[in-house]
Amino acid sequence: MSSESKKLFNIIILGVAFMFMFTAFQTCGNVAQTVITNLNSTDFHGSGYTSMAIIYGVFSASNLISPSVVAIVGPQISMFVSGIFYSAYIAVFIQPFTWAFYTASVFIGIAAAVLWTAQGSCLTINSDENTIGRNSGVFWALLQFSLFFGNLYIYLAWQGKTHISEGDRRTVFIALTVISLVGTVLFFLIRKPEESNTHGEEDSTNENLGDALSSQSKMTRAVDAFKRSMKLCLTKEILLLSITTAYTGLELTFFSGVYGTCIGAVNKFGSDEKSLIGLSGIFIGIGEILGGGFFGLVNKNNRFGRNPVVTLGIVVHFVAFYLIFFNMPNNAPIASIEGTNDQAYMNPSKELAIFCSFLLGLGDSCFNTQLLSILGFLYSEDSAPAFAIFKFVQSICAAVAYFYSNYLLLQWQLLIMVVVGFFGTISFFTVEWEAPAFVARGSDYSSI
């Protein structure tokens, strides 16, 4: 197998492993709040929104140390151990206890930071400036199949049900735990590339998936990785991309947690309201898969640049927000277990709600594939700190969004995303226009 084929194989295995893990985790996130409100146990007093706020809050803080962890143990072991914690979090729902639920939320926040930093390093090491766009799209499309399979099961299993029984819950979460463990084991199939992109990447992340550590001590490498992360935070490019990344955190919270809860709370959808949560996730996944696959092909030759894709993403999202505003009751995100009988500006339409799910997924793929691509392009020689900062900003904004989702009406949540999305798009344009000059002069981390 040639070096290029081996790298593409690694990207495919990486994507498939993440697909299995996030089939379990994202399905868990989509139904967590609905399951929790249906728990009969009076001993359980957890909140799905609060759990997600904890996860993303810890996630954001842990990104400060995740490059050091990856530098010490390498990306393959980092992803495997993180996968174990993901599986443990899902298993908590088999027999939920409040203390276990929130404790697992803390640990998975740490694991997520390490997982995504290692993923970014693995993606960059198996790519070059000509393949980073294609590989980002391939990885993203495979990852987003997770939304399709998990939510298809939820749709079929919960169709016609207005209450989730204890047996239903246990069956779902035992299956999801096993699926997550399968994805975790797949990380061991990733092979060592015959050659890395650059000596700098090799030195910064101790990559090459199984290579012996250099003579430089592990602790020194960890400290160096932390220092590079801090220095990178102050660069013009990262500060501008942080606005775009902040938007992806807000809309991630909305489509992965809030929107499904809104659909499940609308009583006028009838007996299908719970199964529609699964169908919504399926169409979010279809949008993500089509977007990731198509934009990966578009980026293969890199003739059109990244700005047109991001422009499409923001337009698609603005259309989705407008339609959701008209279709969904304002109090849907914070409705009680009885749901809401309120009406927005039209009779709630199941078809329109599901179409908006597709638009949310398509728009999200536009932003995330291009952010992965531009980070891999700008920081090919030192990717771990760049991807750690990307996830730091994204996760802290997701945590903030999960927090205010407990209190804000739908219209205000949509308005926040519109404002941040607009400025995030402008900031991405600025970085994309300056990217060739940045790479030409070298990644010297020049601050503003």
Side-chain angles (χ1 to χ4, degrees):
M1 183 181 290
S2 67
S3 175
E4 184 61 33
S5 298
K6 186 177 291 186
K7 289 180 179 180
L8 181 58
F9 174 82
N10 286 344
I11 295 297
I12 292 173
I13 292 297
L14 183 69
V16 171
F18 270 70
M19 180 190 72
F20 274 96
M21 280 182 56
F22 283 87
T23 289
F25 180 70
Q26 290 186 327
T27 304
C28 174
N30 284 346
V31 303
Q33 186 65 23
T34 301
V35 167
I36 287 170
T37 56
N38 280 272
L39 281 173
N40 292 322
S41 173
T42 57
D43 295 331
F44 188 84
H45 305 289
S47 164
Y49 286 156
T50 303
S51 169
M52 287 296 176
I54 292 172
I55 289 173
Y56 283 104
V58 175
F59 185 4
S60 62
S62 299
N63 275 295
L64 298 175
I65 62 169
S66 58
S68 299
V69 174
V70 175
I72 292 174
V73 303
Q76 193 171 44
I77 298 300
S78 297
M79 290 187 289
F80 174 77
V81 174
S82 298
I84 296 297
F85 282 105
Y86 269 78
S87 303
Y89 174 82
I90 297 165
V92 166
F93 285 90
I94 298 172
Q95 184 58 54
F97 295 98
T98 306
W99 66 268
F101 181 50
Y102 288 135
T103 301
S105 300
V106 173
F107 281 110
I108 199 176
I110 299 171
V114 176
L115 177 74
W116 284 102
T117 300
Q119 176 271 334
S121 294
C122 186
L123 177 67
T124 304
I125 277 199
N126 287 281
S127 307
D128 55 38
E129 64 180 20
N130 297 316
T131 61
I132 183 65
R134 180 202 66 187
N135 290 348
S136 297
V138 168
F139 169 78
W140 194 256
L142 288 170
L143 168 63
Q144 299 310 325
F145 269 105
S146 61
L147 286 167
F148 180 82
F149 293 121
N151 286 290
L152 179 62
Y153 174 75
I154 294 297
Y155 174 67
L156 296 175
W158 291 2
Q159 194 165 21
K161 294 186 178 182
T162 57
H163 179 80
I164 309 304
S165 69
E166 185 174 338
D168 293 333
R169 186 194 73 239
R170 286 183 174 175
T171 300
V172 166
F173 285 100
I174 288 173
L176 294 180
T177 302
V178 173
I179 291 169
S180 178
L181 288 171
V182 170
T184 300
V185 172
L186 286 177
F187 287 126
F188 285 116
L189 295 180
I190 296 177
R191 305 177 182 181
K192 169 192 167 186
E194 291 179 5
E195 57 184 59
S196 62
N197 302 8
T198 60
H199 176 73
E201 174 70 10
E202 202 171 280
D203 190 54
S204 69
T205 62
N206 191 33
E207 289 285 347
N208 294 344
L209 303 175
D211 238 4
L213 287 169
S214 65
S215 57
Q216 186 182 16
S217 73
K218 293 181 179 180
M219 185 56 65
T220 300
R221 296 173 70 86
V223 171
D224 287 346
F226 179 78
K227 288 179 179 178
R228 286 195 298 274
S229 296
M230 295 299 99
K231 187 176 180 181
L232 195 60
C233 285
L234 302 177
T235 62
K236 175 182 178 181
E237 291 76 18
I238 286 294
L239 289 174
L240 287 171
L241 287 177
S242 292
I243 305 174
T244 316
T245 304
Y247 172 67
T248 65
L250 299 181
E251 53 96 4
L252 167 66
T253 292
F254 185 76
F255 81 75
S256 66
V258 177
Y259 190 56
T261 301
C262 290
I263 292 175
V266 179
N267 292 335
K268 292 187 177 182
F269 285 155
S271 61
D272 291 333
E273 61 184 23
K274 295 296 184 286
S275 63
L276 280 176
I277 298 173
L279 191 60
S280 169
I282 291 171
F283 275 84
I284 289 173
I286 291 173
E288 296 273 15
I289 294 163
L290 290 178
F294 176 73
F295 300 133
L297 293 175
V298 169
N299 270 326
K300 185 174 182 180
N301 297 319
N302 203 29
R303 290 180 297 175
F304 304 103
R306 301 173 183 88
N307 284 347
V309 180
V310 172
T311 301
L312 175 64
I314 199 64
V315 170
V316 166
H317 268 177
F318 281 2
V319 170
F321 297 156
Y322 180 79
L323 295 175
I324 291 169
F325 176 71
F326 270 85
N327 193 43
M328 288 288 172
N330 252 332
N331 64 341
I334 55 176
S336 66
I337 187 174
E338 290 82 15
T340 177
N341 293 306
D342 290 1
Q343 181 175 314
Y345 297 94
M346 58 180 288
N347 287 324
S349 166
K350 300 176 188 178
E351 294 77 15
L352 184 58
I354 298 305
F355 177 64
C356 288
S357 299
F358 171 77
L359 295 181
L360 290 173
L362 179 61
D364 182 66
S365 71
C366 292
F367 278 94
N368 278 284
T369 55
Q370 302 316 298
L371 279 168
L372 289 174
S373 176
I374 198 169
L375 286 172
F377 178 70
L378 293 175
Y379 303 104
S380 60
E381 297 185 3
D382 202 10
S383 66
F387 281 99
I389 294 168
F390 164 58
K391 283 298 174 181
F392 169 77
V393 176
Q394 186 181 65
S395 56
I396 200 168
C397 290
V400 170
Y402 270 112
F403 176 76
Y404 68 59
S405 295
N406 280 302
Y407 308 102
L408 291 186
L409 295 173
L410 180 61
Q411 62 182 5
W412 301 119
Q413 297 192 38
L414 294 173
L415 179 61
I416 290 171
M417 288 189 291
V418 167
V419 173
V420 178
F422 173 78
F423 287 106
T425 302
I426 299 301
S427 66
F428 186 95
F429 287 174
T430 304
V431 176
E432 172 69 359
W433 288 328
E434 297 179 356
F438 175 82
V439 173
R441 70 174 183 265
S443 304
D444 56 357
Y445 295 177
S446 57
S447 58
I448 294 177

